[in-house]
Amino acid sequence: MKDLIQVIIPIYKAQEFLYRCLISIKNQTYTNFIVYLINDASPDNSLEICRKISQEDTRFKVISLLKNSGSAHARNVGLEHADLKQGYIAFIDADDYIEPRYFEHLVNLLKDSDADFSWVSVNNTFEKEKLVFPEIDCDKEKTFSITGHDLLLREDLRIMYLMVWGKLFKSSLWEDVRFNEAYHYFEDGATTFKVIYKAGKVIVSDLKLYNYYYSENSATRSGINTTKLIDGLNTEIDKIDFYKEKNEKDLMDMAYIAYLNTILGILRQTDKRQYKNLRSKVWKLYRQSYKNVFDNKNISNTQKLKYCLYRINPDIQKLYLKLKFG
């Protein structure tokens, strides 16, 4: 019998897209799966949609929470219901949908390469209703394998490897890892790296089998607010502390790069008057930390010089980017 895939979907105000998501899962060529639909006290018709599909297909299990507690808590509830000693774990967001071969391909990648998790590429879509799939030529697929440790050193892949979706994990990787429920934003970024760190081998494919609904109103792109900015910064501090505890100097060095870039991003995005106190706080943190990049062997001397110059005035980076990109 094929190994069981346990899918966790946090659901809140998802009625506009949810049915599409669930049908794309129901239509998978790989059929041995269970889907935990975690209704996070959604005030719309999401629960009714979940109940309907669970009545049609017993592989879909509805779990209703009494109060809205956020996607981190919802995912943790899913993990508590899952059997983490067998099979695989996958996460899907309720407004996204997957290509019919998504599960099958992720399983084959993982098994054929004897990896701890597999990862496919993403197709960004603005389509709200239809199951529209990009044209995919499997014969032209490009893959590479990498250790979890070395993946965490890849700054060029950092944004995407931190996303919990688009991947299939051996369930055991999650036995002692949970999402940090203190975060309202970027809970993926505060968690996924811990699972990657445990992975001896990762297999990565460029096939675009996960369809990500690109909404300007999503939590991570819905404008600037202090909570979101601070959460983003604190996730980087979490990584530094984690790697320091593990005595992983090379990973800690890269975490400092992400930390400094996050601070610079906050300074670029915020108005000097409206966010005066926040800017003052993070600018102080930058000046205290920028020297940590000097002995980092993974970045060029030119980049080190930039970090040094940016300490003089945060607007120097904004000017540099304007000159570079226009």
Side-chain angles (χ1 to χ4, degrees), residues 2 45 59 71 75 98 135 169 191 284-285 297:
K2 291 183 177 179
N45 290 321
R59 294 174 298 178
S71 58
R75 285 171 175 158
I98 53 179
E135 206 169 298
F169 303 93
T191 308
K284 182 179 179 181
L285 293 173
K297 298 177 181 178

Side-chain angles (χ1 to χ4, degrees), residues 22-226:
L22 302 183
I23 287 299
S24 76
I25 297 172
K26 186 176 181 179
N27 292 341
Q28 288 295 294
T29 56
Y30 190 100
T31 58
N32 191 28
F33 60 80
I34 290 176
V35 184
Y36 295 106
L37 303 171
I38 316 299
N39 174 45
D40 194 14
S42 186
D44 60 6
N45 290 321
S46 293
L47 179 58
E48 285 71 21
I49 296 171
C50 291
R51 285 173 173 165
K52 183 176 186 297
I53 199 162
S54 68
Q55 291 168 358
E56 298 170 353
D57 190 329
T58 58
R59 294 174 298 178
F60 292 82
K61 313 293 184 183
V62 182
I63 301 168
S64 288
L65 306 183
L66 295 177
K67 66 176 183 178
N68 176 245
S69 301
S71 58
H73 178 69
R75 285 171 175 158
N76 285 340
V77 170
L79 288 169
E80 293 303 321
H81 280 78
D83 182 352
L84 300 180
K85 296 187 182 299
Q86 68 155 322
Y88 310 113
I89 292 289
F91 297 89
I92 298 174
D93 283 353
D95 52 354
D96 301 336
Y97 61 99
I98 53 179
E99 206 267 352
R101 294 165 291 173
Y102 178 73
F103 289 158
E104 182 179 5
H105 199 75
L106 282 169
V107 169
N108 290 339
L109 281 171
L110 193 151
K111 284 191 168 183
D112 291 346
S113 60
D114 193 26
D116 292 304
F117 77 83
S118 50
W119 173 19
V120 293
S121 191
V122 60
N123 173 57
N124 291 326
T125 179
F126 294 93
E127 173 59 50
K128 290 185 176 183
E129 298 178 6
K130 300 177 183 176
L131 281 169
V132 178
F133 300 109
E135 206 169 298
I136 296 171
D137 187 347
C138 292
D139 293 332
K140 294 182 179 180
E141 178 184 22
K142 295 179 182 178
T143 66
F144 69 90
S145 63
I146 189 171
T147 65
H149 178 279
D150 288 349
L151 178 57
L152 291 169
L153 290 173
R154 292 284 300 270
E155 176 67 13
D156 59 319
L157 297 176
R158 179 172 63 91
I159 299 300
M160 294 308 299
Y161 74 55
L162 290 175
M163 303 301 181
V164 77
W165 40 258
K167 303 170 178 69
L168 186 71
F169 303 93
K170 285 184 176 178
S171 295
S172 58
L173 290 174
W174 288 91
E175 283 190 285
D176 59 354
V177 177
R178 293 295 184 272
F179 292 89
N180 189 331
E181 297 181 17
Y183 289 109
H184 298 280
Y185 302 90
F186 309 115
E187 67 280 353
D188 289 27
T191 308
T192 312
F193 77 95
K194 297 177 182 178
V195 175
I196 296 173
Y197 180 77
K198 294 172 64 178
K201 186 177 183 181
V202 182
I203 182 71
V204 185
S205 167
D206 68 345
L207 291 186
K208 296 182 177 182
L209 303 180
Y210 187 97
N211 292 277
Y212 174 81
Y213 176 60
Y214 197 91
S215 170
E216 292 298 334
N217 296 321
S218 71
T220 53
R221 283 191 299 276
S222 57
I224 297 172
N225 68 67
T226 301

Side-chain angles (χ1 to χ4, degrees), residues 12-24:
Y12 184 72
K13 292 184 177 180
Q15 66 176 20
E16 188 175 359
F17 314 100
L18 182 57
Y19 184 72
R20 176 179 68 176
C21 173
L22 302 183
I23 287 299
S24 76

